[in-house]
Amino acid sequence: MDFVKGRIVMLREGLMQYWWLLYRHGKALAQRTDIYRNVEDAYTARQGDLILTSDSTYLDIGSGSSLVPTFLFQRRGATTYATEMDPVYLKRQQEYQVTLHIPKSGKFRVQAEDATRLSFGDNSLDFISVISTIEHIPGDGDS
């Protein structure tokens, strides 16, 4: 999606507010937002904002350097799992946690998970986000 089309979609779908909030969240983390992920990140943030409560459980699969898990955690206070297979990106999410002063023993958890063999039980999650992950899964994905 090109830049102009992305902005039109964001305006039409009411996502500009979330784009701006994510941009500010990224500045707090010294993390530049990826212009090509503006629409899907803003959409996911909006959906999570509508669905999640402090009693909810949220799973982000393939968190990488995404701002969405910490953003939604800070806004909604849901039990949040930022999951990833790559140790580099697990560490990135842990660094976000430290920078934002999110307690390590609290409701925000960073853990290694294989997207094809998740450890979560049926009906145990209220919201799941999977942004730009399938292309990294061997076999049925693009890897």
Side-chain angles (χ1 to χ4, degrees):
M1 180 175 307
D2 70 30
F3 182 80
V4 173
K5 266 188 181 174
R7 290 299 177 264
I8 291 169
V9 168
M10 290 176 73
L11 286 168
R12 185 180 66 227
E13 299 296 324
L15 300 176
M16 289 303 285
Q17 157 191 346
Y18 288 96
W19 175 84
W20 178 248
L21 291 169
L22 283 165
Y23 173 79
R24 289 180 43 213
H25 187 71
K27 295 272 289 178
L29 293 168
Q31 176 68 30
R32 190 173 68 89
T33 57
D34 183 344
I35 196 165
Y36 298 105
R37 294 209 176 135
N38 286 337
V39 174
E40 56 262 36
D41 284 356
Y43 181 81
T44 302
R46 183 186 71 182
Q47 292 305 110
D49 212 22
L50 293 171
I51 292 168
L52 294 170
T53 69
S54 61
D55 296 324
S56 301
T57 303
Y58 163 44
L59 169 65
D60 184 66
I61 300 171
S63 298
S65 59
S66 176
L67 305 173
V68 175
T70 53
F71 173 79
L72 285 174
F73 175 77
Q74 287 193 315
R75 283 184 66 85
R76 309 309 294 165
T79 299
T80 300
Y81 294 90
T83 66
E84 177 62 56
M85 286 292 298
D86 188 327
V88 170
Y89 290 112
L90 282 169
K91 185 176 180 194
R92 173 92 38 96
Q93 288 293 323
Q94 290 165 341
E95 289 167 352
Y96 291 172
Q97 189 175 11
V98 169
T99 300
L100 296 169
H101 307 288
I102 299 171
K104 288 188 178 190
S105 61
K107 292 174 65 175
F108 186 86
R109 299 173 185 139
V110 178
Q111 64 189 50
E113 288 278 346
D114 181 339
T116 65
R117 290 179 205 86
L118 296 170
S119 65
F120 301 91
D122 291 347
N123 300 312
S124 65
L125 303 165
D126 300 296
F127 186 67
I128 301 169
S129 59
V130 187
I131 302 172
S132 297
T133 299
I134 195 164
E135 64 269 21
H136 301 287
I137 298 174
D140 291 334
D142 290 347
S143 290

